[in-house]
Amino acid sequence: MNPPILHTRVAASGHDRAAALYIRYARRLTAYITARLGRDYPLAADLAEATWAQVRARPGTVPVGTGRDEFGGLAHVARQTIARHYLRTRTRREPPAGRRARTSVSERPHGTPQAISQVEYAREVAA
C-alpha cells in the first residue's frame, strides 16, 4: 500500500496551500470547532466556513511544517473566529424574549416630538 500524499508539501503558496490544508484538515477542524461550541452543529459549520475563508484570504497565518504545526495554526485561527463571533453577538442588542422591539414614535421613552421628527428625517435622508 502506498503512503498517503501530503498535499501541503506539494502546494507551494497562496490559494493552492489553503486548498491543500482544506483537503487535509476540513473534517478535523470542523470537529474541533464543534467540540469547542458544545455540539452546536449549524453554528460550527458556519464558523468553520468563516475560518476557511480567513485562511484562504491570508494563507501565511498557518505555519508550514509538520501536521501538528499546521493544525495548531488552523486551531488558532478557529479560536479567533469563535471569539470574534461571541464578541459580535454579545454587543448586538436584541429585545428580551416575549417583548417586541420599540418601533413607533409614541413608544419611545424620551425625546420631544421635534427631536424625534429630526431623527426620522435623518433616517429618510440616509435611506
Side-chain angles (χ1 to χ4, degrees):
M1 182 174 194
N2 294 334
I5 297 173
L6 300 178
H7 297 283
T8 53
R9 304 287 181 250
V10 177
S13 64
H15 299 299
D16 292 340
R17 182 162 185 269
L21 288 170
Y22 182 83
I23 290 168
R24 188 167 181 194
Y25 296 111
R27 281 186 177 171
R28 186 175 172 190
L29 185 68
T30 303
Y32 175 80
I33 292 171
T34 303
R36 300 233 1 144
L37 295 176
R39 297 183 181 218
D40 186 352
Y41 298 111
L43 180 58
D46 291 344
L47 294 179
E49 184 178 336
T51 301
W52 287 113
Q54 186 173 354
V55 168
R56 188 166 187 263
R58 290 185 229 131
T61 58
V62 178
V64 177
T66 64
R68 175 181 245 171
D69 294 338
E70 290 172 341
F71 185 76
L74 288 171
H76 177 72
V77 174
R79 284 190 302 272
Q80 289 176 331
T81 304
I82 293 168
R84 211 173 309 114
H85 166 75
Y86 281 119
L87 285 173
R88 234 182 285 127
T89 56
R90 186 169 40 154
T91 57
R92 210 179 292 152
R93 292 189 178 173
E94 295 185 15
R99 295 183 70 191
R100 59 186 177 90
R102 294 184 204 166
T103 55
S104 70
V105 175
S106 62
E107 292 179 340
R108 294 186 184 147
H110 302 290
T112 62
Q114 182 182 5
I116 293 171
S117 64
Q118 289 174 354
V119 170
E120 291 176 350
Y121 174 76
R123 286 185 185 156
E124 289 176 12
V125 170

